[in-house]
Amino acid sequence: MMINVTRSSMPAFDEYMEEIKEVWDSRWLTNMGPKHKQFQEQLKAFLEVDNVDLFCNGHMALEMAIQAMGLTGEVITTPFTFASTTHAIVRNGLTPVFCDIEPDTYTIDTSKIEALITDKTSAIIPVHVYGNVCNIEEIERIAKKHGLKVVFDAAHAFGEKYKGRGIGSFGDASMFSFHATKVFHSVEGGAVCFHDEAFGLDLYRLKNFGIRGPETVDAVGANAKMNEFSAAMGICNLRHLEGEIAKRKEAAHRYRKHLEGVAGLKLPFKQDTVNYNYAYFPVLFDKEVFGKSRDEVAEKLAENGIGARKYFYPICNDFDCYKDKYDVNDTPVARDVALKVLTLPLYADLVLEDVDRICKIILGK
Ligand SMILES: *Cc1c(COP(=O)(O)O)cnc(C)c1O
């Protein structure tokens, strides 16, 4: 039996059927219908944020947030993220400027941000990588000092709290992804959390073709609306999220039990200010000490039907579409982590005996 790196959480079939019954009968399938409204309200309360708007996916949520913010010129971000973060910047006609990451949390190294700021810089787009929270205080201090906007890519951090505050409540905006492979999903989906209501109106308009009123189209928008079937899936999955995270936590602890203290392995960092969602279990393999490289371990697991993922490798400044303009040696920590990291299977239904088996294979027992 094949084990993938992730497996979508599902509500009971009947629960979902019940949830979409009204959609079926009403024939209101999209365009901000009742399920969209309900899901939005529930998320606002759950995430403890001022405002939240829903999108067809996390990527479009981020693209539209950047557009609505009216950013210009250069945006400071990190290359150690999913393709989406960098693409969202570039697709808005902006230039990403890559800052290196911290060696423990893999989030933006705030001590290196200020050296990258020019008179063209308009924003910082940091990423809460693997659910590790960025150095928010320092990012906000730098942003304030230089008059920059901050948009957090919080795709990995859904449901987390930082120092007791909802993770979506920081910065000018935060983006979540509800993709099927994430801790929480609506099949496809995403959200932007924000404080400023005027920004919210622009954002709302952009996701619906820039239409302001029945006879007014005053912005170059796109179509990035969440449909009713996705909203219904989100409503169902939100009911079970806590239980799903608890199960992920157990599997993560099982990994730690086997792998903690093994020379040459670096396990996920733990920030005591964060209520983790246990989205990922990234392990760094140091061949010199451990004896086997990341690639060798990945191959061994694959031979046994276990799909671990080199996530993130390659890093964004090494992509074919960007590497002419950038040099991975400018972000040496990200470059080195990308060569060593392997994200192990982790999902709510992962059987603990399978974690045992995966660890045995990794350790060559
Ligand atoms: C998943 C993800 C995205 C994009 O979200 P989608 O819903 O897949 O479009 C963006 N950034 C990060 C860090 C992600 O993991």
Side-chain angles (χ1 to χ4, degrees):
M1 174 76 171
M2 180 77 197
I3 296 177
N4 283 320
V5 70
T6 185
R7 188 161 183 256
S8 298
S9 290
M10 296 300 271
F13 183 70
D14 290 343
E15 183 181 347
Y16 185 66
M17 286 297 128
E18 188 58 35
E19 201 62 50
I20 63 168
K21 196 166 177 310
E22 294 159 41
V23 180
W24 214 270
D25 295 341
S26 73
R27 306 206 179 191
W28 188 343
L29 310 185
T30 184
N31 285 46
M32 289 65 89
K35 291 293 165 197
H36 184 287
K37 286 205 183 70
Q38 187 187 340
F39 184 34
Q40 190 173 14
E41 285 308 311
Q42 288 179 354
L43 278 177
K44 194 174 134 176
F46 175 77
L47 294 168
E48 298 176 9
V49 293
D50 291 342
N51 299 290
V52 60
D53 203 355
L54 304 177
F55 291 83
C56 58
N57 58 53
H59 177 80
M60 287 309 291
L62 186 57
E63 253 196 56
M64 305 267 97
I66 293 169
Q67 190 184 351
M69 217 157 263
L71 303 184
T72 56
E74 298 172 359
V75 172
I76 295 172
T77 186
T78 69
F80 196 73
T81 179
F82 187 53
S84 172
T85 322
T86 305
H87 288 348
I89 295 167
V90 175
R91 287 169 57 82
N92 268 290
L94 305 168
T95 305
V97 173
F98 292 111
C99 184
D100 209 356
I101 57 170
E102 291 180 0
D104 290 326
T105 64
Y106 315 129
T107 61
I108 195 164
D109 183 341
T110 52
S111 71
K112 294 178 182 158
I113 293 177
E114 287 195 277
L116 299 172
I117 296 175
T118 71
D119 54 9
K120 295 201 192 85
T121 310
S122 63
I124 308 172
I125 303 191
V127 186
H128 299 307
V129 184
Y130 307 129
N132 291 324
V133 172
C134 301
N135 187 342
I136 292 176
E137 289 87 353
E138 191 55 14
I139 290 166
E140 290 190 335
R141 186 193 66 79
I142 294 167
K144 202 166 170 200
K145 182 174 157 196
H146 298 271
L148 308 176
K149 298 280 189 190
V150 178
V151 181
F152 285 105
D153 181 334
H156 288 185
F158 185 84
E160 290 190 345
K161 290 215 166 78
Y162 173 68
K163 296 185 177 170
R165 236 178 94 180
I167 193 67
S169 69
F170 296 95
D172 294 286
S174 288
M175 174 276 275
F176 290 112
S177 161
F178 308 147
H179 186 254
T181 54
K182 304 276 154 94
V183 166
F184 168 76
H185 77 87
S186 58
V187 186
E188 292 263 12
V192 176
C193 303
F194 55 94
H195 307 285
D196 182 19
E197 311 242 334
F199 165 80
L201 287 174
D202 287 341
L203 191 61
Y204 182 87
R205 185 173 43 138
L206 287 175
K207 78 169 178 181
N208 191 26
F209 306 102
I211 297 173
R212 185 184 286 278
E215 295 178 7
T216 315
V217 181
D218 63 357
V220 186
N223 179 2
K225 305 183 298 284
M226 176 179 282
N227 70 65
E228 292 291 279
F229 291 86
S230 278
M233 183 61 108
I235 289 167
C236 291
N237 280 334
L238 197 56
R239 288 187 195 118
H240 307 288
L241 181 67
E242 224 172 291
E244 296 293 281
I245 289 177
K247 287 199 273 177
R248 284 174 170 273
K249 182 176 177 177
E250 245 187 279
H253 282 177
R254 192 75 155 221
Y255 273 123
R256 277 194 190 274
K257 195 180 130 216
H258 290 293
L259 304 178
E260 195 109 68
V262 175
L265 299 192
K266 186 166 171 176
L267 302 191
F269 191 68
K270 283 191 277 191
Q271 296 168 295
D272 53 18
T273 46
V274 180
N275 294 48
Y276 279 101
N277 61 8
Y278 301 90
Y280 301 94
F281 202 87
V283 177
L284 264 50
F285 291 86
D286 182 348
K287 185 181 163 96
E288 306 286 298
V289 183
F290 181 63
K292 274 178 284 188
S293 70
R294 179 272 305 272
D295 290 353
E296 286 163 343
V297 173
E299 216 166 287
K300 195 95 210 149
L301 288 170
E303 282 166 19
N304 286 274
I306 295 157
R309 193 170 160 205
K310 297 173 193 175
Y311 190 68
F312 300 105
Y313 172 85
I315 48 176
C316 297
N317 47 4
D318 204 17
F319 286 177
D320 289 336
C321 55
Y322 296 127
K323 68 179 170 199
D324 292 349
K325 298 192 186 79
Y326 297 95
D327 184 351
V328 288
N329 298 313
D330 292 340
T331 55
V333 178
R335 175 198 63 199
D336 291 351
V337 171
L339 290 172
K340 289 179 181 165
V341 71
L342 192 63
T343 300
L344 303 180
L346 183 60
Y347 44 87
D349 293 333
L350 182 60
V351 180
L352 295 180
E353 285 70 32
D354 281 334
V355 177
D356 297 344
R357 190 160 67 85
I358 292 164
C359 292
K360 263 193 191 141
I361 294 164
I362 291 170
L363 299 172
K365 283 184 182 164

